[in-house]
Amino acid sequence: MQMEKLLLFLLLFFSILLSPAAYTPPDHFFINCGSDTNTNVSGYPNRTFIGDLIYPGPLSFTKQKSKVITNSQISDVLYQTARVFKQQSFYEFDIDTAGIYLVRFHFFNSTDVSTAVFYVSTARFSQLKNFTVPRSSTNDSNSPLIDEFLLNITQGKFSIYFTPHGSSFAFINALEVFLAPANFIPDKVPTPPNKSYSGILSHALQTIYRINVGGEKVTPDNDTLWRTWIPDDKFLYNSSMAKKSTPSSARPNYEKGNVTVYIAPAPVYKTAIEMNTNGSNYPDTSNVTWSFNVSKNSRHFVRVHFCNIVGKSVGSIIFNLYLNGNYSRKIDPHEIVGELGVPFCLDFVVDSDESGAMNISIGPSKDSLDTYTAFLNGVEIMEIMGESSVVIKPDKSTKTVFPVVGPVVGGLLVCVLAVGLFIVLKKRKRTSVKTSVWSLFSGHGGGSSDSKGTYRTINVSQVPNLNLSLIIPFTEIQSATKNFDEKLVIGRGGFGNVYRGILKNGLTVAVKRSQPGSGQGFDEFLTEIMILSKIRHRHLVSLIGYCDERFEMILVYEFMEKGTLRDHLYNTDLPFLSWKQRLEICIGAASGLNYLHKGSTGGIIHRDIKTTNILLDENFNAKVADFGLSKSAPLNETHVNTGIKGTFGYLDPEYFQTQQLTEKSDVYSFGVVLLEVLCARPVIISRDPQLPMEQVNLAEWGLLCHRKGLLDTIVDPSIKGEINLNSLRKFAETAEKCLQEDSVDRPSMGDVLWDLEYALQLQQTGLYREPHEDSTIEATSDLQMINVQRLPSHSLQIERDELLILGESITDESLPSASEVFSQLRINNAR
């Protein structure tokens, strides 16, 4: 331990000695596109955007078939002109100094260019080809859209291409291309939990978030590299756990830290969020969590900023940093920088999963000396564009490589570091041998307490106590997927790729394959098999079989022709679902969930209900899928104590706070699904700084609109004209009941199922009456009959549940559905 501390001190000392030379922000290239004048832009002190028509060089661009449009109604002079291209065109720069460049594209989506759809690319970074500016690129017609990339550019010619999509056109208002400080982005950083990522600089990085935690918006005129930092309020999951620290009046002490003023400006380090605790003892409470909406299944460069303006004395605070729930690191500011008010940052590469949410949390550590709290000053998230071709390998040391600037000092320190690291590595190697050998037995194949372990043979499944009749040989799965041909991939998730395949009996299936030999996801693999091998229901995806040989974990399901429910709601080219279709899909999913809760001995809690886990067959029948996180509810118990798992935005807040999982947790998630179906928008929108805070979270926004009587304003425009108002009212009431804060106030899934069936009947009949309502309107006796029968909604459900709970083999095929009950009541056009 002492040796490690000595090495850390030497590394920090070495980094200070070898700090880069002073950096002066360049004055090129700042281009005012489509202009013949120079523009001094507010927010860019001492910077002039030069018109592309008069740029003195070294710049060239496509003039043929391009034109200039002018809009004097725009208040900001920089965006009054734009260059428009009807064919692939370019701007070409002469780069005299190789390094990391900040490249910013400025677009103002005015009426003249609102229909533009195009692509931006460079010769080297083809990843940018997917960049488009659609009609809805900005929600505020008075605000520009600025997209920032970091590119490693070599000396010579550097071209940016603008390619119109089809018969559309491309446009650009302004361009920035300028050199960043030396060592601005490292090429190798840690990848949680214990790996490293090499080759960052071979990829383009797109800035997704730049957050000033605990502070106000930082505008370009207050930033050293003309960046914008937005407040963190809309990203906080539970704001009651956090409080803003008192802003520091002192300037951050950059001289003592591992960052310069160009890494982050002083306003970022002068504010922070800390835990809302008294700090007097080690608290048993939730962490402070920020959640960000990112691209699914992608890699991101994450930089977190710290400056201890919270502690009263040096060394008083030690806390934990958590990334995406699967990695934690102890943060000891005293060990890293040694003094209060000294800024530092840490870099990571973090993989996002199928949920598209990235969580960053801070929490207290019991190692803290006297103040049990935690703090955070800033966050930056940049997506690493394109497929990764870099090598990821175990990170066996914490060594850092610095450029040698003095042969004597550098050589001496390198020798000292090398000797010290050799000793540490040798010690760790002795320990790691046991760990690596043990992982062969316990990591993937289901371990054993026997010292010999349980090593998996080539063709024998080691998954215990499962239905062996479901085993499908690996060779057959290989043949069905044409050896896992990439052309047959129909989905990618946290577990692995999903392929379309055809078994030798001619059955079309979906094949979900984990990364071979990774050992990750074994618990989910086992849970899925155990649950789906015991239950059958027309609204639950059927398990055809599984493969557990050759270090493979493969699940084979029935093939769902129409994909996920979310695929048909938004960000899609697929035809819109009608309101009747949406109701029937929700009814089907609710039926499947109700069977999970009541149809198996003890009940099953799904724990990850969302629109991507509701699949549609060729006839748009809904089936609930993905049971890897599911839990069996113990008999005679009201809840399961378990760690937090699920998808942010759908997660039951009571479960999140108490870690007590109940069936009502699924009900809450299903309530979010109902709003997503109604509104056709993501459950979390956090990347749009123009979006009002109350609209970021769909559940909160939907409840707010419902209570204000503004429900019609959030309905998906594609179905707005076809919804019967009574059906809409019943549907919204059902969603609201599902989203109650206290689980005891939420209905059962059986009641939700009935209410949705009722909403469907109202859509078909156009009539609505409240239970207990006296007949004061014209209505048939049949309609009165349903009001009488609807009163005790639990009565029919009890009868149905008693049937369902008889055994795990019950399929629900022979039981009357709610729709059939309505049919027996003969309500006008009820089905």
Side-chain angles (χ1 to χ4, degrees):
M1 187 65 183
Q2 295 298 326
M3 177 60 71
E4 291 182 353
K5 287 185 176 180
L6 174 61
L7 290 174
L8 181 60
F9 170 77
L10 290 172
L11 287 171
L12 291 171
F13 177 71
F14 196 23
S15 67
I16 293 171
L17 280 180
L18 304 179
S19 59
Y23 166 78
T24 302
D27 58 4
H28 65 285
F29 300 89
F30 295 85
I31 314 298
N32 185 6
C33 301
S35 176
D36 58 0
T37 61
N38 298 338
T39 304
N40 292 316
V41 180
S42 59
Y44 281 73
N46 304 319
R47 283 293 169 270
T48 300
F49 281 75
I50 302 176
D52 58 5
L53 291 172
I54 59 172
Y55 204 93
L59 170 75
S60 59
F61 64 94
T62 305
K63 296 184 177 65
Q64 297 83 3
K65 294 189 177 181
S66 73
K67 68 175 184 177
V68 173
I69 61 173
T70 303
N71 188 342
S72 59
Q73 300 300 314
I74 300 174
S75 58
D76 196 324
V77 177
L78 183 64
Y79 302 109
Q80 289 182 355
T81 62
R83 186 162 294 280
V84 176
F85 304 103
K86 290 294 292 182
Q87 63 182 20
Q88 185 182 73
S89 305
F90 65 87
Y91 277 88
E92 185 177 80
F93 307 86
D94 284 335
I95 303 298
D96 54 12
T97 304
I100 295 292
Y101 279 74
L102 282 92
V103 179
R104 295 192 186 114
F105 303 92
H106 294 249
F107 307 99
F108 196 98
N109 203 11
S110 62
T111 305
D112 299 325
V113 294
S114 61
T115 59
V117 180
F118 57 96
Y119 308 89
V120 179
S121 62
T122 73
R124 178 182 175 190
F125 297 101
S126 59
Q127 299 96 327
L128 301 186
K129 286 184 178 178
N130 290 327
F131 176 73
T132 63
V133 181
R135 186 179 308 179
S136 58
S137 62
T138 176
N139 290 318
D140 185 349
S141 60
N142 295 317
S143 299
L145 174 69
I146 303 175
D147 265 284
E148 178 187 277
F149 295 85
L150 281 79
L151 309 179
N152 187 18
I153 304 176
T154 58
Q155 284 183 302
K157 302 290 186 182
F158 171 70
S159 299
I160 300 175
Y161 297 92
F162 297 84
T163 306
H165 175 70
S167 60
S168 188
F169 58 92
F171 77 97
I172 181 73
N173 294 89
L175 269 172
E176 298 175 60
V177 180
F178 65 93
L179 183 66
N183 302 322
F184 189 64
I185 298 290
D187 192 51
K188 178 182 177 182
V189 300
T191 300
N194 61 348
K195 298 178 180 180
S196 63
Y197 186 108
S198 299
I200 291 177
L201 300 184
S202 64
H203 293 267
L205 302 181
Q206 182 181 11
T207 301
I208 308 299
Y209 297 103
R210 190 169 277 129
I211 310 297
N212 182 21
V213 176
E216 301 297 324
K217 181 177 180 179
V218 178
T219 53
D221 55 329
N222 290 314
D223 181 86
T224 46
L225 296 176
W226 310 291
R227 296 163 294 194
T228 297
W229 302 71
I230 64 175
D232 67 313
D233 306 78
K234 66 172 64 176
F235 307 104
L236 269 172
Y237 182 75
N238 186 353
S239 58
S240 64
M241 292 304 304
K243 66 178 180 180
K244 295 183 179 181
S245 63
T246 303
S248 172
S249 58
R251 182 180 184 275
N253 190 348
Y254 287 100
E255 290 72 21
K256 298 290 183 67
N258 68 351
V259 301
T260 69
V261 70
Y262 297 106
I263 294 296
V268 172
Y269 293 123
K270 294 172 73 171
T271 59
I273 285 288
E274 60 179 304
M275 298 196 68
N276 190 19
T277 64
N278 58 22
S280 59
N281 48 44
Y282 186 63
D284 180 18
T285 185
S286 302
N287 301 319
V288 180
T289 299
W290 293 262
S291 186
F292 303 94
N293 185 28
V294 297
S295 297
K296 298 179 181 179
N297 305 310
S298 299
R299 283 184 172 151
H300 297 82
F301 175 83
V302 177
R303 174 168 284 173
V304 283
H305 298 267
F306 302 96
C307 184
N308 190 356
I309 61 174
V310 175
K312 303 303 181 184
S313 61
V314 174
S316 63
I317 298 177
I318 299 174
F319 59 94
N320 294 317
L321 169 71
Y322 304 92
L323 298 176
N324 243 15
N326 58 10
Y327 171 76
S328 65
R329 171 168 173 169
K330 184 173 72 175
I331 307 295
D332 184 348
H334 175 62
E335 187 177 77
I336 298 174
V337 293
E339 295 183 21
L340 297 176
V342 177
F344 63 95
C345 70
L346 299 173
D347 297 334
F348 304 91
V349 168
V350 181
D351 292 343
S352 61
D353 58 22
E354 195 273 340
S355 70
M358 180 183 295
N359 295 332
I360 297 176
S361 305
I362 54 173
S365 169
K366 59 185 177 181
D367 296 330
S368 206
L369 298 179
D370 56 21
T371 305
Y372 297 101
T373 188
F375 65 87
L376 181 64
N377 299 76
V379 175
E380 292 178 89
I381 300 176
M382 305 176 191
E383 183 176 347
I384 301 175
M385 305 298 290
E387 292 293 330
S388 172
S389 59
V390 299
V391 177
I392 299 180
K393 55 188 178 181
D395 191 7
K396 296 184 179 180
S397 73
T398 56
K399 65 181 180 178
T400 304
V401 179
F402 299 97
V404 177
V405 296
V408 177
V409 176
L412 176 61
L413 286 175
V414 168
C415 290
V416 172
L417 288 171
V419 172
L421 288 172
F422 174 77
I423 295 172
V424 172
L425 287 175
K426 188 173 182 181
K427 179 181 179 181
R428 288 182 178 175
K429 189 173 182 180
R430 291 196 192 102
T431 311
S432 66
V433 170
K434 290 184 179 179
T435 304
S436 61
V437 172
W438 176 248
S439 68
L440 289 175
F441 304 133
S442 62
H444 184 56
S448 170
S449 57
D450 190 315
S451 60
K452 293 181 182 179
T454 306
Y455 191 82
R456 189 205 306 253
T457 59
I458 293 299
N459 293 307
V460 180
S461 171
Q462 298 297 323
V463 177
N465 304 321
L466 292 183
N467 187 348
L468 297 181
S469 66
L470 293 176
I471 292 178
I472 301 177
F474 180 71
T475 53
E476 182 175 349
I477 295 176
Q478 270 188 311
S479 174
T481 59
K482 298 182 180 179
N483 198 23
F484 304 101
D485 189 341
E486 278 291 314
K487 295 178 182 178
L488 296 177
V489 172
I490 57 175
R492 304 182 192 273
F495 184 85
N497 289 345
V498 182
Y499 302 82
R500 179 172 180 160
I502 301 178
L503 298 178
K504 60 183 180 182
N505 63 3
L507 181 65
T508 300
V509 293
V511 177
K512 185 161 70 172
R513 183 196 194 195
S514 173
Q515 183 67 29
S518 70
Q520 296 180 357
F522 178 73
D523 290 342
E524 290 81 0
F525 175 69
L526 186 62
T527 299
E528 191 114 1
I529 298 173
M530 293 180 67
I531 289 177
L532 288 180
S533 63
K534 295 179 180 180
I535 60 176
R536 283 290 185 273
H537 190 277
R538 61 177 175 268
H539 291 297
L540 300 178
V541 168
S542 296
L543 180 70
I544 305 298
Y546 68 92
C547 176
D548 183 46
E549 63 180 75
R550 301 186 183 183
F551 301 101
E552 295 278 357
M553 293 188 296
I554 300 174
L555 298 167
V556 181
Y557 306 92
E558 62 175 315
F559 182 71
M560 302 297 286
E561 183 74 32
K562 299 298 185 182
T564 73
L565 172 57
R566 183 179 296 180
D567 290 340
H568 297 265
L569 292 178
Y570 50 86
N571 297 333
T572 179
D573 294 328
L574 298 173
F576 292 113
L577 295 171
S578 69
W579 179 237
K580 181 174 179 291
Q581 284 179 308
R582 298 186 196 200
L583 284 171
E584 291 174 338
I585 289 168
C586 291
I587 289 167
S591 177
L593 277 175
N594 185 47
Y595 174 72
L596 274 184
H597 290 176
K598 301 299 181 184
S600 300
T601 302
I604 296 171
I605 306 170
H606 188 282
R607 201 159 55 148
D608 198 20
I609 295 299
K610 53 187 176 181
T611 51
T612 52
N613 285 341
I614 298 174
L615 305 183
L616 307 176
D617 67 11
E618 59 183 350
N619 297 315
F620 290 97
N621 295 310
K623 300 198 178 190
V624 178
D626 201 341
F627 300 87
L629 298 183
S630 299
K631 280 282 186 181
S632 295
L635 289 174
N636 303 318
E637 297 289 341
T638 59
H639 64 268
V640 182
N641 288 310
T642 182
I644 305 299
K645 286 191 177 180
T647 301
F648 185 74
Y650 299 90
L651 200 61
D652 171 15
E654 185 177 82
Y655 166 43
F656 182 85
Q657 293 170 7
T658 65
Q659 298 191 28
Q660 294 182 350
L661 180 70
T662 71
E663 293 176 354
K664 298 296 184 70
S665 299
D666 281 350
V667 174
Y668 181 91
S669 301
F670 193 73
V672 180
V673 168
L674 294 180
L675 285 182
E676 198 173 355
V677 167
L678 179 66
C679 306
R681 57 145 276 185
V683 296
I684 298 292
I685 301 178
S686 55
R687 287 179 56 177
D688 187 350
Q690 307 298 329
L691 193 69
M693 186 173 300
E694 64 270 15
Q695 297 185 22
V696 170
N697 185 300
L698 176 60
E700 295 178 1
W701 185 40
L703 289 177
L704 179 65
C705 290
H706 185 243
R707 289 163 186 167
K708 288 184 175 182
L710 301 174
L711 191 63
D712 61 316
T713 63
I714 67 173
V715 174
D716 179 7
S718 68
I719 58 171
K720 206 168 187 178
E722 64 179 275
I723 301 181
N724 176 278
L725 291 181
N726 290 325
S727 175
L728 174 61
R729 177 184 172 188
K730 190 62 187 175
F731 187 89
E733 287 174 354
T734 306
E736 183 182 36
K737 288 188 290 186
C738 291
L739 296 172
Q740 292 301 301
E741 185 173 345
D742 295 328
S743 59
V744 294
D745 296 328
R746 300 172 199 154
S748 68
M749 280 309 306
D751 287 334
V752 173
L753 174 59
W754 185 289
D755 286 341
L756 290 174
E757 286 277 5
Y758 193 28
L760 177 61
Q761 302 308 315
L762 290 170
Q763 177 65 23
Q764 294 172 328
T765 64
L767 296 174
Y768 179 77
R769 299 183 65 202
E770 289 284 359
H772 304 289
E773 184 179 46
D774 292 333
S775 179
T776 57
I777 59 172
E778 293 184 6
T780 67
S781 58
D782 290 334
L783 187 60
Q784 295 172 14
M785 178 67 175
I786 186 174
N787 283 314
V788 174
Q789 297 295 327
R790 180 69 185 96
L791 266 173
S793 63
H794 297 283
S795 61
L796 178 64
Q797 192 58 48
I798 290 173
E799 178 186 349
R800 192 172 173 185
D801 289 350
E802 287 172 350
L803 288 170
L804 285 169
I805 207 166
L806 290 177
E808 292 179 345
S809 60
I810 295 295
T811 65
D812 195 42
E813 295 295 336
S814 61
L815 302 178
S817 67
S819 62
E820 291 168 336
V821 173
F822 277 112
S823 177
Q824 293 164 9
L825 295 175
R826 300 179 182 178
I827 310 166
N828 292 349
N829 296 321
R831 32 172 210 152

